[in-house]
Short mmCIF file of all heavy atoms in Angstrom, two decimals:
data_model
loop_
_atom_site.label_atom_id
_atom_site.label_comp_id
_atom_site.label_asym_id
_atom_site.label_seq_id
_atom_site.Cartn_x
_atom_site.Cartn_y
_atom_site.Cartn_z
N LEU A 208 -84.65 -14.77 79.11
CA LEU A 208 -84.45 -13.35 79.43
C LEU A 208 -84.16 -13.18 80.91
O LEU A 208 -84.80 -13.82 81.75
CB LEU A 208 -85.72 -12.56 79.07
CG LEU A 208 -86.02 -12.42 77.59
CD1 LEU A 208 -87.35 -11.72 77.39
CD2 LEU A 208 -84.91 -11.67 76.88
N PRO A 209 -83.20 -12.33 81.28
CA PRO A 209 -82.86 -12.16 82.69
C PRO A 209 -83.85 -11.27 83.44
O PRO A 209 -83.81 -11.17 84.65
CB PRO A 209 -81.48 -11.49 82.64
CG PRO A 209 -81.46 -10.79 81.33
CD PRO A 209 -82.35 -11.53 80.39
N PHE A 210 -84.73 -10.60 82.70
CA PHE A 210 -85.66 -9.68 83.36
C PHE A 210 -87.06 -10.27 83.33
O PHE A 210 -87.54 -10.67 82.28
CB PHE A 210 -85.67 -8.31 82.66
CG PHE A 210 -86.72 -7.39 83.18
CD1 PHE A 210 -86.54 -6.72 84.38
CD2 PHE A 210 -87.92 -7.21 82.50
CE1 PHE A 210 -87.53 -5.87 84.88
CE2 PHE A 210 -88.90 -6.37 82.99
CZ PHE A 210 -88.70 -5.70 84.19
N ARG A 211 -87.69 -10.33 84.51
CA ARG A 211 -89.09 -10.73 84.54
C ARG A 211 -89.88 -9.67 85.31
O ARG A 211 -89.44 -9.22 86.38
CB ARG A 211 -89.26 -12.10 85.22
CG ARG A 211 -90.55 -12.80 84.77
CD ARG A 211 -90.59 -14.23 85.25
NE ARG A 211 -90.83 -14.30 86.68
CZ ARG A 211 -92.02 -14.17 87.23
NH1 ARG A 211 -93.09 -14.00 86.50
NH2 ARG A 211 -92.16 -14.22 88.53
N ALA A 212 -91.02 -9.28 84.75
CA ALA A 212 -91.83 -8.23 85.38
C ALA A 212 -92.75 -8.91 86.39
O ALA A 212 -93.94 -9.09 86.14
CB ALA A 212 -92.62 -7.48 84.31
N SER A 213 -92.17 -9.27 87.53
CA SER A 213 -92.91 -10.16 88.44
C SER A 213 -93.95 -9.43 89.28
O SER A 213 -94.88 -10.04 89.77
CB SER A 213 -91.93 -10.90 89.34
OG SER A 213 -91.02 -9.98 89.88
N GLY A 214 -93.78 -8.11 89.45
CA GLY A 214 -94.68 -7.43 90.36
C GLY A 214 -95.79 -6.63 89.68
O GLY A 214 -96.39 -5.76 90.30
N VAL A 215 -96.04 -6.90 88.40
CA VAL A 215 -96.96 -6.03 87.65
C VAL A 215 -98.41 -6.41 87.91
O VAL A 215 -98.78 -7.57 87.85
CB VAL A 215 -96.66 -6.13 86.14
CG1 VAL A 215 -97.67 -5.32 85.34
CG2 VAL A 215 -95.27 -5.65 85.85
N ARG A 216 -99.22 -5.40 88.18
CA ARG A 216 -100.67 -5.61 88.21
C ARG A 216 -101.24 -4.90 86.97
O ARG A 216 -100.79 -3.81 86.63
CB ARG A 216 -101.26 -5.01 89.49
CG ARG A 216 -100.59 -5.56 90.75
CD ARG A 216 -101.58 -6.03 91.80
NE ARG A 216 -102.78 -5.22 91.84
CZ ARG A 216 -102.94 -4.15 92.63
NH1 ARG A 216 -101.96 -3.76 93.42
NH2 ARG A 216 -104.07 -3.46 92.61
N GLY A 217 -102.18 -5.57 86.31
CA GLY A 217 -102.65 -5.11 85.00
C GLY A 217 -103.07 -3.67 84.96
O GLY A 217 -102.75 -2.93 84.03
N GLU A 218 -103.77 -3.23 86.02
CA GLU A 218 -104.31 -1.87 85.99
C GLU A 218 -103.23 -0.83 86.23
O GLU A 218 -103.46 0.36 86.07
CB GLU A 218 -105.48 -1.73 86.99
CG GLU A 218 -105.15 -1.92 88.44
CD GLU A 218 -105.05 -3.39 88.88
OE1 GLU A 218 -105.03 -4.28 88.01
OE2 GLU A 218 -104.95 -3.64 90.09
N ASN A 219 -102.01 -1.28 86.60
CA ASN A 219 -100.96 -0.33 86.92
C ASN A 219 -100.01 -0.03 85.78
O ASN A 219 -99.02 0.66 85.96
CB ASN A 219 -100.10 -0.87 88.08
CG ASN A 219 -100.87 -0.85 89.37
OD1 ASN A 219 -101.95 -0.26 89.43
ND2 ASN A 219 -100.34 -1.50 90.39
N VAL A 220 -100.24 -0.60 84.60
CA VAL A 220 -99.28 -0.39 83.51
C VAL A 220 -99.49 1.02 82.95
O VAL A 220 -100.57 1.35 82.46
CB VAL A 220 -99.46 -1.46 82.40
CG1 VAL A 220 -98.47 -1.21 81.27
CG2 VAL A 220 -99.27 -2.86 82.98
N PRO A 221 -98.45 1.86 83.03
CA PRO A 221 -98.63 3.26 82.63
C PRO A 221 -98.65 3.42 81.11
O PRO A 221 -98.13 2.57 80.39
CB PRO A 221 -97.39 3.94 83.22
CG PRO A 221 -96.37 2.88 83.27
CD PRO A 221 -97.09 1.57 83.48
N PRO A 222 -99.22 4.52 80.61
CA PRO A 222 -99.23 4.74 79.17
C PRO A 222 -97.83 5.09 78.65
O PRO A 222 -97.15 5.95 79.21
CB PRO A 222 -100.19 5.93 78.99
CG PRO A 222 -100.22 6.60 80.32
CD PRO A 222 -99.90 5.58 81.37
N VAL A 223 -97.44 4.39 77.60
CA VAL A 223 -96.13 4.64 76.96
C VAL A 223 -96.40 4.90 75.48
O VAL A 223 -97.09 4.11 74.83
CB VAL A 223 -95.19 3.43 77.15
CG1 VAL A 223 -93.94 3.56 76.29
CG2 VAL A 223 -94.81 3.27 78.63
N ALA A 224 -95.84 5.97 74.95
CA ALA A 224 -96.07 6.33 73.55
C ALA A 224 -95.04 5.67 72.65
O ALA A 224 -93.91 5.40 73.06
CB ALA A 224 -96.01 7.84 73.38
N LEU A 225 -95.44 5.44 71.41
CA LEU A 225 -94.53 4.91 70.38
C LEU A 225 -94.61 5.85 69.19
O LEU A 225 -95.67 6.01 68.59
CB LEU A 225 -95.00 3.50 69.97
CG LEU A 225 -94.24 2.83 68.83
CD1 LEU A 225 -92.78 2.57 69.22
CD2 LEU A 225 -94.91 1.50 68.46
N LEU A 226 -93.49 6.50 68.89
CA LEU A 226 -93.48 7.45 67.77
C LEU A 226 -92.42 7.06 66.75
O LEU A 226 -91.39 6.46 67.09
CB LEU A 226 -93.18 8.88 68.27
CG LEU A 226 -94.26 9.56 69.11
CD1 LEU A 226 -93.79 10.95 69.56
CD2 LEU A 226 -95.57 9.70 68.32
N GLY A 227 -92.66 7.44 65.51
CA GLY A 227 -91.69 7.19 64.45
C GLY A 227 -90.93 8.45 64.10
O GLY A 227 -91.13 9.52 64.71
N SER A 228 -90.05 8.32 63.13
CA SER A 228 -89.36 9.49 62.57
C SER A 228 -89.66 9.51 61.09
O SER A 228 -89.76 8.46 60.46
CB SER A 228 -87.84 9.35 62.74
OG SER A 228 -87.53 9.17 64.09
N ALA A 229 -89.82 10.68 60.52
CA ALA A 229 -90.11 10.78 59.09
C ALA A 229 -89.41 12.00 58.51
O ALA A 229 -89.20 13.01 59.21
CB ALA A 229 -91.62 10.87 58.87
N LEU A 230 -89.09 11.87 57.26
CA LEU A 230 -88.37 12.94 56.56
C LEU A 230 -89.07 14.28 56.73
O LEU A 230 -90.27 14.39 56.48
CB LEU A 230 -88.30 12.57 55.07
CG LEU A 230 -87.44 13.46 54.20
CD1 LEU A 230 -85.96 13.20 54.50
CD2 LEU A 230 -87.74 13.21 52.73
N GLY A 231 -88.33 15.26 57.17
CA GLY A 231 -88.86 16.61 57.25
C GLY A 231 -89.78 16.86 58.43
O GLY A 231 -90.37 17.93 58.54
N ASP A 232 -89.94 15.85 59.32
CA ASP A 232 -90.85 16.01 60.46
C ASP A 232 -90.22 16.95 61.50
O ASP A 232 -89.01 17.17 61.52
CB ASP A 232 -91.12 14.64 61.09
CG ASP A 232 -92.39 14.64 61.93
OD1 ASP A 232 -93.12 15.65 61.92
OD2 ASP A 232 -92.65 13.62 62.60
N ASP A 233 -91.07 17.52 62.35
CA ASP A 233 -90.54 18.35 63.42
C ASP A 233 -90.86 17.72 64.76
O ASP A 233 -91.25 16.55 64.82
CB ASP A 233 -91.07 19.78 63.31
CG ASP A 233 -92.59 19.81 63.37
OD1 ASP A 233 -93.18 18.89 63.99
OD2 ASP A 233 -93.20 20.73 62.78
N ALA A 234 -90.72 18.48 65.85
CA ALA A 234 -90.83 17.89 67.19
C ALA A 234 -92.18 18.12 67.83
O ALA A 234 -92.35 17.90 69.02
CB ALA A 234 -89.72 18.46 68.08
N ARG A 235 -93.21 18.50 67.04
CA ARG A 235 -94.43 18.94 67.73
C ARG A 235 -95.13 17.83 68.50
O ARG A 235 -95.72 18.09 69.53
CB ARG A 235 -95.37 19.67 66.77
CG ARG A 235 -96.12 18.83 65.80
CD ARG A 235 -96.91 19.68 64.85
NE ARG A 235 -96.04 20.25 63.81
CZ ARG A 235 -96.48 21.05 62.84
NH1 ARG A 235 -97.75 21.40 62.79
NH2 ARG A 235 -95.67 21.50 61.94
N LEU A 236 -95.06 16.58 68.01
CA LEU A 236 -95.67 15.50 68.80
C LEU A 236 -94.83 15.19 70.03
O LEU A 236 -95.36 14.98 71.12
CB LEU A 236 -95.82 14.24 67.94
CG LEU A 236 -97.05 14.17 67.05
CD1 LEU A 236 -97.02 12.89 66.20
CD2 LEU A 236 -98.33 14.20 67.87
N ILE A 237 -93.52 15.17 69.85
CA ILE A 237 -92.63 14.88 70.99
C ILE A 237 -92.86 15.91 72.10
O ILE A 237 -92.90 15.57 73.29
CB ILE A 237 -91.15 14.87 70.52
CG1 ILE A 237 -90.92 13.68 69.58
CG2 ILE A 237 -90.19 14.83 71.71
CD1 ILE A 237 -89.63 13.72 68.81
#
Side-chain angles (χ1 to χ4, degrees):
L208 291 176
F210 173 78
R211 204 170 73 80
S213 48
V215 176
R216 305 229 325 269
E218 63 280 11
N219 290 350
V220 179
V223 170
L225 176 64
L226 291 178
S228 303
L230 188 72
D232 200 7
D233 58 28
R235 75 185 78 180
L236 277 177
I237 293 167

